[in-house]
Structure formats: C-alpha cells, structure tokens
Amino acid sequence: MVAPGMRRYKVRTEAQASLVGPEGSSPLDLPAIFGRRAPIRLEIGCGHGEFISQMAAAHPDEDFVGVEYDRLRITKGAHKCLGLGATNASFYGGMAEDFVRDRMPTASARRIYILFPDPWPKPDHRRRRLMTRAFLADLSRVAAPGCRFIFGSDTHNYTMQVLNNLTTLPGLWRNLYPPSGYRINIPTRFPTVFERYKKEEGDTIAYLMLERTDVPAPVLPAPHRPPRGSKTQQGIPGCHSGKTEST
Ligand SMILES: C[S@@+](CC[C@H](N)C(=O)[O-])C[C@H]1O[C@@H](n2cnc3c(N)ncnc32)[C@H](O)[C@@H]1O
C-alpha cells in the first residue's frame, strides 16, 4: 500500500525524470550523464532523498549518484533535488548489489554512503542484509583510492558485522575511527529521515568511516540472497528499522 504522502510520486514529471537514469545493467558513462568530469559521491539506499539532495545542493562542483529500490522514493529524491536547485544528481532504481556490481565503473567514487540500511534484526532474516563480504568487495572496486566509506546504523550488531567483514578483506580499507573502529552519536550535517527518527527515539547510532587504500579489490562470488518480496520477506516492510539490537 502506498502511503498517502507518497501518492504524488507515482507519476514522474519531466523535470523529475531528467534526474532519473534508465534501469538496466550496462555500465554508467558518468561524464556523459553529468556532462562533465567531477568527483562522484554514491549513496546506496538513498530512501526519501533527504541526504543526497542536501549534499548535492551543498556541493555543486561534485556529482551524486543515488540507488534505491523503491521507485516512489526515487521520484521523491529527484523532487527534493529540484526543490533545492540541485541538478548534479542522478538516481537509479533497483537492487544496490546489481547496480554496484554491474553499473558503477571501477575506482569511480570518492565518497560512498550507506546510512541506515534495512537492518533485518531477526536472526533468521540476517542473510538478507546488504553488507555481505561480496558486496563490500564490489564496493571496494568502485571506491577510488582515498575514497571514504561512511556507514551509519542503530543496529549495532550490523555495524559490527560490517567491521568484521571488512577485516576479511585485508589492506583494502583504513579505519578512520581508531581505536574502537566506530563512533557513537556523532553530530551529522544533513541527517537522514531514519537518522532523525532514531535520534528522536533516543537510540544510539554507530557510525563507521573508512578510507580506501590502493590495494586492488578481489572479485568474490555473490552469496545467495532470497529475492526481494519472496515469502520470508512478507510482513516486513521494505524500509523498516526493526527492533534496535545492541551487541
Ligand atoms: C531503512 S531505509 C533508510 C533510508 C535512508 N538511507 C535513511 O537513512 O533515511 C533503507 C532504504 O534502503 C532501500 N533498500 C533496501 N535494500 C536495498 C537494496 N538491496 N538495494 C537498493 N535499495 C535498498 C529501501 O528501499 C529503503 O529506502
């Protein structure tokens, strides 16, 4: 069911559509898409576009790529960018795993943001989590040397899982939050919808920030993940944050 506030995004205006790239599996020609060669920032699971639109407006000399499964949220993200006068963003619908593997050029991103990915807090559902070792290897290919990877989640065992998976890809990333490897409740310039909501609820948020080295990334086989919308997903909304768990 579509929430009443989202109905207006069912149909894309021409201007909104101009910020949405075609679906498919062919690699993106980023200079052709943006009409220039500028640093690229990638947001995965950009949701309602709160963060990417404000970032794009704040950094007119850089270009922003957003990938998001939910079509209406893509349109809303484009709408927000236009509202802020930012045309340096391009949104793509679909699964981030496929998008990163097939469409993002090697060493193309100088920042990668994954903020409040679906946490799948129940043990039985954790295999649905996005941040597998294979996905991190694909992200490592897309990250240019010096690229920063920023991750935030209120599901602490997910944050620890990401850190653990990264240690199995030795030498690819340098942790910028020593000695623990993460930081809790740091102030953020443009909070996402989920970030605001979770902070208002009093939850603790753990953030990661890592910097890509120049060690080449391995290519790992993708793990089997049940397709989106399959039986084990029923009853679990696509953009829920679930029960907060700590480790
Ligand atoms: C919990 S919401 C967080 C949205 C936003 N980042 C925020 O912090 O407000 C997670 C978002 O990721 C999207 N998403 C989840 N899995 C995805 C996937 N595999 N590929 C692309 N988008 C995905 C969902 O549709 C949803 O919009």
Side-chain angles (χ1 to χ4, degrees), residues 45 47 68-69 73 94 96-97 115-116 118 192-194 228 239:
E68 167 54 54
Y69 178 77
R73 289 184 194 148
E97 298 87 325
L115 302 168
F116 300 82
D118 286 346
T192 70
V193 169
F194 263 72
R228 213 176 155 96
C239 190

Side-chain angles (χ1 to χ4, degrees), residues 69-151:
Y69 178 77
D70 185 309
R71 195 179 177 280
L72 301 190
R73 289 184 194 148
I74 292 260
T75 311
K76 186 171 177 182
H79 172 77
K80 287 198 165 176
C81 282
L82 294 169
L84 295 171
T87 52
N88 52 334
S90 188
F91 291 87
Y92 294 85
M95 296 298 280
E97 298 87 325
D98 302 335
F99 181 82
V100 168
R101 189 188 57 236
D102 299 336
R103 308 203 70 186
M104 282 300 289
T106 297
S108 55
R110 71 175 289 272
R111 291 281 187 277
I112 298 174
Y113 303 92
I114 304 186
L115 302 168
F116 300 82
D118 286 346
W120 301 111
K122 291 184 185 168
D124 280 1
H125 293 148
R126 280 190 195 157
R127 67 204 164 97
R128 293 188 167 279
R129 285 180 173 173
L130 175 64
M131 305 298 291
T132 62
R133 191 169 171 257
F135 183 67
L136 284 165
D138 287 339
L139 274 189
S140 306
R141 176 190 63 77
V142 163
C147 170
R148 288 188 176 181
F149 167 48
I150 293 104
F151 177 92

Side-chain angles (χ1 to χ4, degrees), residues 113 147 174 204 209 221:
Y113 303 92
C147 170
R174 190 176 311 119
T204 54
M209 192 190 286

Side-chain angles (χ1 to χ4, degrees), residues 24-30 33 102-105:
S25 56
S26 48
L28 299 182
D29 181 347
L30 294 166
I33 289 164
D102 299 336
R103 308 203 70 186
M104 282 300 289

Side-chain angles (χ1 to χ4, degrees), residues 55-245:
M55 287 292 283
H59 299 276
D61 296 337
E62 300 184 41
D63 291 327
F64 290 75
V65 173
V67 58
E68 167 54 54
Y69 178 77
D70 185 309
R71 195 179 177 280
L72 301 190
R73 289 184 194 148
I74 292 260
T75 311
K76 186 171 177 182
H79 172 77
K80 287 198 165 176
C81 282
L82 294 169
L84 295 171
T87 52
N88 52 334
S90 188
F91 291 87
Y92 294 85
M95 296 298 280
E97 298 87 325
D98 302 335
F99 181 82
V100 168
R101 189 188 57 236
D102 299 336
R103 308 203 70 186
M104 282 300 289
T106 297
S108 55
R110 71 175 289 272
R111 291 281 187 277
I112 298 174
Y113 303 92
I114 304 186
L115 302 168
F116 300 82
D118 286 346
W120 301 111
K122 291 184 185 168
D124 280 1
H125 293 148
R126 280 190 195 157
R127 67 204 164 97
R128 293 188 167 279
R129 285 180 173 173
L130 175 64
M131 305 298 291
T132 62
R133 191 169 171 257
F135 183 67
L136 284 165
D138 287 339
L139 274 189
S140 306
R141 176 190 63 77
V142 163
C147 170
R148 288 188 176 181
F149 167 48
I150 293 104
F151 177 92
S153 177
D154 59 302
T155 305
H156 298 181
N157 65 31
Y158 197 174
T159 309
M160 293 307 130
Q161 182 185 352
V162 176
L163 277 178
N164 282 339
N165 282 345
L166 283 167
T167 62
T168 69
L169 300 169
L172 297 187
W173 294 91
R174 190 176 311 119
N175 199 314
L176 299 182
Y177 286 162
S180 61
Y182 60 90
R183 290 209 181 140
I184 296 288
N185 285 351
I186 52 175
T188 48
R189 191 171 166 209
F190 300 124
T192 70
V193 169
F194 263 72
E195 191 169 14
R196 253 199 337 262
Y197 166 63
K198 288 286 153 192
K199 282 184 173 167
E200 277 163 20
E201 283 195 331
D203 289 337
T204 54
I205 317 286
Y207 297 90
L208 306 178
M209 192 190 286
L210 298 105
E211 189 173 80
R212 183 73 172 89
T213 65
D214 53 10
V215 173
V219 178
L220 303 178
H224 173 72
R225 295 176 76 225
R228 213 176 155 96
S230 69
K231 209 174 170 192
T232 52
Q233 237 186 1
Q234 283 170 11
I236 303 168
C239 190
H240 77 126
S241 170
K243 190 167 149 277
T244 301
E245 289 186 39

